[in-house]
Amino acid sequence: MATVYKKSAMLTDTPLHYCPGCTHGIAHKLIAETIEELGLVDNVVGIAPVGCGVFAYNYFNCDMQEAAHGRAPAVASAIKRVHKNTAVFSYQGDGDLASIGMAEIVHAATRGENITVIFINNAIYGMTGGQMAPTTLEGQKATTCIYGRQVRSAEGEVINGNPIHVSELLATLDGPAYIERVMLTDPANVMKAKKAVKKAFEYQMAKKGFTFVEIMSGCPTNWYMSPADALSFVKNEMTKKYPLGVFKDIEEAK
């Protein structure tokens, strides 16, 4: 018997604008499935970022709010405080969250805001043409570091500085309840990512506190790679700098 694809009620029929090989669409599907499975279809609000996910409000079939660049955690916090029993999530990339939005995410996390943040880390500014992001790897090329990110010069002078580990940084704070890093390189890891997203929403609805899932994603267009090579880069190179795993789970710590 042929397998029939079941469309998620949480996703609209609007064609995705993402580049071929980009895994934003997979991340959207995981969030949509989670919301359905937890019975939150009529009780969820999402926050769209500035970046490649800026049109997320066209794809999720729920109330969506657009936020200024980097300010999604603040917007999500405000909505959650007003609608305490509603699931609230922000969907952000590394430029939005880890650069201009770093103060917002750190303070939302340390306050323990009862929201879920989905962080797409593709190590580059995707929407604006491939500039170096806070998460760009050492040696990785971008339009603003065409020879590759260089931490220091041969003389020891700071040039681009080090890539930032967002999950590890947030895990040092007292407010977060759950933080995990996953990737979308193959079916097994997609299923692990789904479990992480679901746990994050479950913890939020149980009022355990701030939850954060970092999803490592490829960017074939701005990496100048084929989709297959981009997935290989995530799996074989990005994980060296950004290892997968749970960085905080208040339930497991008990």
Side-chain angles (χ1 to χ4, degrees):
M1 183 176 178
T3 300
V4 178
Y5 173 75
K6 180 180 180 296
K7 180 184 177 298
S8 171
M10 269 301 301
L11 293 176
T12 69
D13 292 326
T14 305
L16 299 179
H17 74 282
Y18 301 117
C19 300
C22 172
T23 51
H24 270 295
I26 298 174
H28 285 10
K29 186 67 160 53
L30 300 185
I31 296 168
E33 288 178 346
T34 293
I35 291 170
E36 277 194 273
E37 291 170 9
L38 295 179
L40 299 171
V41 172
D42 297 319
N43 190 33
V44 61
V45 177
I47 316 300
V50 173
C52 288
V54 68
F55 296 129
Y57 50 76
N58 287 329
Y59 308 137
F60 287 105
N61 195 18
C62 65
D63 288 332
M64 295 290 294
Q65 171 71 52
E66 180 62 54
H69 201 188
R71 273 53 180 178
V75 175
S77 298
I79 292 173
K80 185 68 178 189
R81 289 188 180 205
V82 174
H83 301 281
K84 300 182 188 301
N85 297 315
T86 295
V88 180
F89 72 96
S90 72
Y91 184 93
Q92 300 176 256
D94 43 49
D96 179 271
L97 182 144
S99 184
I100 192 170
M102 180 55 80
E104 299 288 354
I105 194 65
V106 168
H107 286 282
T110 201
R111 289 194 305 268
E113 297 288 349
N114 197 42
I115 60 174
T116 295
V117 176
I118 307 299
F119 171 47
I120 307 298
N121 178 3
N122 60 14
I124 206 159
Y125 277 83
M127 183 184 75
T128 53
Q131 295 90 347
M132 183 183 70
T135 52
T136 300
L137 302 179
E138 185 176 355
Q140 187 176 3
K141 295 180 180 179
T143 58
T144 48
C145 53
I146 59 174
Y147 300 111
R149 181 174 193 153
Q150 188 176 355
V151 175
R152 293 180 179 273
S153 69
E155 293 75 30
E157 296 178 349
V158 175
I159 298 181
N160 303 128
N162 293 287
I164 192 165
H165 297 76
V166 179
S167 289
E168 289 89 334
L169 184 153
L170 297 181
T172 67
L173 305 174
D174 294 330
Y178 173 65
I179 297 173
E180 183 169 359
R181 181 183 291 128
V182 295
M183 63 182 179
L184 303 174
T185 55
D186 52 79
N189 277 293
V190 169
M191 295 309 296
K192 289 178 182 178
K194 169 70 177 297
K195 290 180 180 179
V197 171
K198 192 168 186 177
K199 180 180 277 191
F201 275 90
E202 287 174 336
Y203 275 30
Q204 179 191 162
M205 298 314 292
K207 295 181 168 57
K208 295 182 187 296
F210 179 88
T211 58
F212 184 89
V213 179
E214 178 177 348
I215 301 178
M216 292 202 295
S217 176
C219 184
T221 297
N222 290 299
W223 290 357
Y224 298 96
M225 294 181 181
S226 69
D229 287 343
L231 291 177
S232 294
F233 184 83
V234 171
K235 191 170 187 176
N236 299 318
E237 299 302 326
M238 285 188 70
T239 53
K240 293 177 183 177
K241 187 67 175 177
Y242 303 116
L244 305 182
V246 177
F247 293 91
K248 189 164 188 178
D249 187 333
I250 58 171
E251 290 301 311
E252 290 185 0
K254 289 181 179 178

